[in-house]
Amino acid sequence: MSRPVAGVRNQTLILTLPGSPKGAKENLEAVIKLLPHACQQAAGADSRSLHAGGVRKLEQDAGVQAGAASGANSTSSHQHEHHHQHDHSHGHHHGRGHTGPVAHTDPASRPQSNDPRAGPTARHRSSPYPMLSVEEALKLIRDFTPPPKVEKLPVNENLVGLVLAEDVKAPESVPAFRASIVDGYAVKVTEGSPSPKGVFPVAFASHAQATETKNLQEGQISRITTGAPLPPGANAVVMVEDTVIHKMTDDGNEEEEVEVLTDQVKPGENVREVGSDVKERDVIMKAGEGITVTGGEFGLLASVGVSEVSVYRRPVVGILSTGDEIVPHDRPGPLKLGEVRDTNRPTLITAVRASKYEAVDLGIASDNQWLTGDENRPGALEETLRDALRRVDVVITSGGVSMGELDLLKPAIERSLGGTIHFGRVSMKPGKPTTFATVPFKSNAGVRQSKVIFSLPGNPASAVVTFHLFVLPSLHHASGVEPAGLPRAKVVLEQDVRLDEKRNEYHRVLVTLKEDGKLYATSTGMQRSSRIGSFKGANALLCLPARNGSLGKGEKVDALLMGKLLNEM
């Protein structure tokens, strides 16, 4: 029961007590008489004058008996021990009720980020995070991405790209009435007998429009258009090609009599029955199916009168660049020594929006976390991240995840936001320091939830590769899209490609569909992680294995398809 935590923030004393009533009571009783003195110190009172009389005077002023705390602890310890002995003597079923939390790992073995307040000499010389394979990283993303949230939306064009969260049943049949599938004449045919043949009066016309339809009497026919309701009394339609006009009206504008040339028409011929396309209460779409850009699903929902559906909400994504050296890409004038134009933020915003997710521009954050001169006052990076988590579901940052003394994103996530870093290094090229974390968060409505942070490398090519490889699958998981991530295909190499013996590489290429029906991959040139030009024209990433040597021209290799293929067929 002894896990109280205390601290000071902005001249406010903060105490956190155990969750159990007994533990909270015991811990509060132990410190409550000392709170006035602690509050004076937190408010900034002169410490020297407060402590002029020594500890014994402070205890007397607070009404605390010297040694009381240790005595209380001793008594509590004795009672606790006695209680355990009592329980064990009666068997095991009480004995486990008082066991405290037990950690099964050595704290020294758990990876944690640098403490920036310790200065550059105390920072890690090698990363404390284990090197994971891409497959291991993707599994952690799948396991720790928050599940999709469900919302109801009206059926309109804004549904495109969303995934259904529930089955959809047809509220009405299609067609809702018996309808003609051809232009012709509605007739009545007796089952088992030849259809009427000869000259018949045209009683009226039935058009594809909302109107009352008259009854068709024996010996009459009715002109009918495709999609029009079959008049009561009729049960078949003779195609217009099987008829000729026998007589016109006096004004020459209408058919008065038409001759039917065939007696082979059967009951139900050329008639679309009620519910023959969709029956009322049929499941027309299942949970997990998407509304695609082709419009077929939207048309189906509209055809049966569905007004709203339950879908998985697409997460809102915030994009943040970090670093005191970063300046807006469109700032006029030459760069100062050490300044770098912000390439990643506009590039990632474009990539997020191209993937059909809402992107929020979070700007550029300074590196001055913990560098404000006051360790109790949050730095710009922490404040920016806290504000971002109130506005978006997923935060993508770039830069600040390597091993430098000002690479502060991992410390900010762990030490300031209380987040969990699920991985901080991946065995890949480019993008090794890619970081995936979740942060506990309470919304303005008091709802506890988990928000995702992806901290991508600052090199532009690395940031784009890792967005497609890691962030996009997470967005897909969070919005119900399966399979998650980029589609994969086999491509034929157009030139030799050197391999990296230690890390898998994701090589930017242009993939072309050629006349033989195969996909061919051409490198975009030098693949250095800082070279964003390697993405110019690229529509795929070659998945190159880690091994010595190279792959030769004509060999087949997997590729992740990012965009539209070049077509030479």
Side-chain angles (χ1 to χ4, degrees):
M1 311 296 280
S2 56
R3 284 196 170 189
V5 179
V8 177
R9 184 76 178 254
N10 296 333
Q11 295 187 320
T12 298
L13 180 65
I14 301 172
L15 292 177
T16 63
L17 303 177
S20 72
K22 182 174 184 293
K25 180 174 181 292
E26 288 178 352
N27 279 274
L28 187 58
E29 286 175 345
V31 300
I32 194 166
K33 291 183 178 180
L34 303 173
L35 286 181
H37 175 71
C39 289
Q40 284 182 305
Q41 284 195 289
D46 179 59
S47 180
R48 185 177 296 275
S49 60
L50 281 176
H51 295 89
V55 174
R56 184 166 297 180
K57 183 177 186 302
L58 290 173
E59 289 175 340
Q60 290 175 350
D61 292 344
V64 176
Q65 185 178 354
S70 60
N73 287 341
S74 174
T75 303
S76 172
S77 173
H78 171 74
Q79 290 173 345
H80 187 66
E81 181 181 340
H82 176 78
H83 188 71
H84 267 278
Q85 292 169 353
H86 176 79
D87 284 344
H88 286 302
S89 68
H90 284 77
H92 68 273
H93 99 248
H94 293 298
R96 297 181 65 151
H98 291 279
T99 52
V102 177
H104 293 279
T105 58
D106 179 4
S109 69
R110 301 172 200 154
Q112 194 176 32
S113 53
N114 288 316
D115 182 354
R117 290 168 292 194
T121 57
R123 74 179 188 271
H124 295 300
R125 260 38 202 183
S126 60
S127 175
Y129 301 97
M131 183 82 79
L132 302 186
S133 68
V134 170
E135 292 71 24
E136 290 170 327
L138 288 172
K139 183 180 185 304
L140 288 170
I141 288 171
R142 183 173 64 251
D143 291 345
F144 290 101
T145 294
K149 297 177 182 177
V150 179
E151 62 181 353
K152 284 192 176 292
L153 291 180
V155 174
N156 56 36
E157 62 277 6
N158 294 325
L159 288 181
V160 172
L162 296 177
V163 176
L164 293 174
E166 296 177 355
D167 291 352
V168 179
K169 294 183 177 181
E172 59 193 38
S173 295
V174 177
F177 52 85
R178 303 178 77 200
S180 174
I181 63 173
V182 296
D183 293 325
Y185 297 87
V187 297
K188 182 174 182 180
V189 178
T190 302
E191 187 72 46
S193 301
S195 60
K197 180 181 179 182
V199 177
F200 297 91
V202 180
F204 52 87
S206 178
H207 298 292
Q209 61 187 32
T211 184
E212 293 292 329
T213 304
K214 302 174 184 177
N215 287 335
L216 189 68
Q217 302 300 321
E218 195 75 35
Q220 295 179 329
I221 62 174
S222 167
R223 189 169 77 250
I224 193 168
T225 59
T226 301
L230 201 68
N235 63 355
V237 175
V238 180
M239 294 178 66
V240 69
E241 291 87 344
D242 291 329
T243 66
V244 293
I245 296 175
H246 186 264
K247 183 181 179 182
M248 301 287 290
T249 57
D250 292 340
D251 59 10
N253 291 329
E254 287 289 343
E255 306 159 339
E256 187 171 326
E257 293 179 346
V258 166
E259 182 178 358
V260 176
L261 303 177
T262 179
D263 61 0
Q264 300 301 307
V265 179
K266 296 178 174 58
E269 189 167 321
N270 296 323
V271 174
R272 201 161 53 121
E273 298 292 342
V274 173
S276 57
D277 289 351
V278 179
K279 286 186 172 59
E280 184 180 353
R281 305 300 299 165
D282 275 357
V283 175
I284 57 169
M285 291 193 71
K286 293 185 177 181
E289 293 186 322
I291 313 297
T292 66
V293 72
T294 58
E297 297 84 8
F298 176 71
L300 176 59
L301 294 171
S303 71
V304 296
V306 175
S307 59
E308 67 174 15
V309 290
S310 293
V311 295
Y312 293 122
R313 185 176 73 84
R314 276 182 288 218
V316 178
V317 184
I319 296 89
L320 173 70
S321 284
T322 68
D324 292 330
E325 77 279 16
I326 303 298
V327 299
H329 73 281
D330 53 357
R331 193 195 73 179
L335 295 176
K336 299 176 183 177
L337 181 63
E339 288 184 331
V340 178
R341 293 197 185 275
D342 189 357
T343 303
N344 292 347
R345 186 164 47 97
T347 302
L348 291 170
I349 287 173
T350 301
V352 169
R353 289 174 179 165
S355 303
K356 309 301 181 187
Y357 293 90
E358 181 183 348
V360 177
D361 187 349
L362 299 176
I364 302 171
S366 170
D367 277 333
N368 72 352
Q369 172 77 352
W370 287 297
L371 304 179
T372 60
D374 179 356
E375 65 177 13
N376 296 318
R377 185 162 63 87
L381 181 56
E382 178 189 343
E383 290 182 330
T384 301
L385 288 172
R386 288 190 184 279
D387 178 64
L389 293 172
R390 294 186 184 94
R391 301 167 59 190
V392 302
D393 304 295
V394 177
V395 176
I396 303 174
T397 70
S398 64
V401 289
S402 291
M403 296 296 295
E405 63 187 275
L406 294 182
D407 288 324
L408 300 172
L409 268 162
K410 287 171 179 169
I413 291 168
E414 283 188 323
R415 297 173 182 272
S416 298
L417 302 180
T420 300
I421 293 179
H422 301 289
F423 64 79
R425 286 196 306 164
V426 185
S427 180
M428 62 177 292
K429 180 183 178 181
K432 184 173 75 171
T434 301
T435 299
F436 167 62
T438 52
V439 177
F441 188 79
K442 185 183 285 188
S443 70
N444 293 334
V447 178
R448 293 186 180 277
Q449 50 193 294
S450 181
K451 299 290 184 87
V452 168
I453 297 179
F454 279 96
S455 294
L456 308 183
N459 280 325
S462 301
V464 179
V465 167
T466 52
F467 168 81
H468 287 289
L469 202 61
F470 299 123
V471 181
L472 188 59
S474 178
L475 296 179
H476 285 170
H477 291 311
S479 50
V481 176
E482 292 294 342
L486 294 174
R488 185 181 291 257
K490 289 285 186 184
V491 298
V492 180
L493 295 178
E494 289 274 52
Q495 72 251 79
D496 294 349
V497 178
R498 185 186 302 173
L499 301 176
D500 187 294
E501 63 176 327
K502 294 183 178 179
R503 290 184 283 164
N504 291 351
E505 183 174 359
Y506 294 85
H507 190 108
R508 282 73 77 196
V509 292
L510 175 63
V511 173
T512 303
L513 177 62
K514 296 199 173 182
E515 291 183 353
D516 60 3
K518 296 179 181 179
L519 300 175
Y520 289 83
T522 305
S523 174
T524 57
M526 186 176 66
Q527 299 288 301
R528 192 168 61 199
S529 62
S530 60
R531 185 173 179 264
I532 190 62
S534 64
F535 269 96
K536 181 179 179 293
N539 59 6
L541 299 172
L542 284 184
C543 304
L544 301 178
R547 68 169 191 245
N548 282 322
S550 62
L551 296 176
K553 179 179 178 180
E555 290 194 58
K556 287 188 175 181
V557 65
D558 282 350
L560 298 172
L561 305 179
M562 298 185 296
K564 187 177 180 181
L565 301 178
L566 190 64
N567 191 346
E568 291 186 359
M569 293 188 69

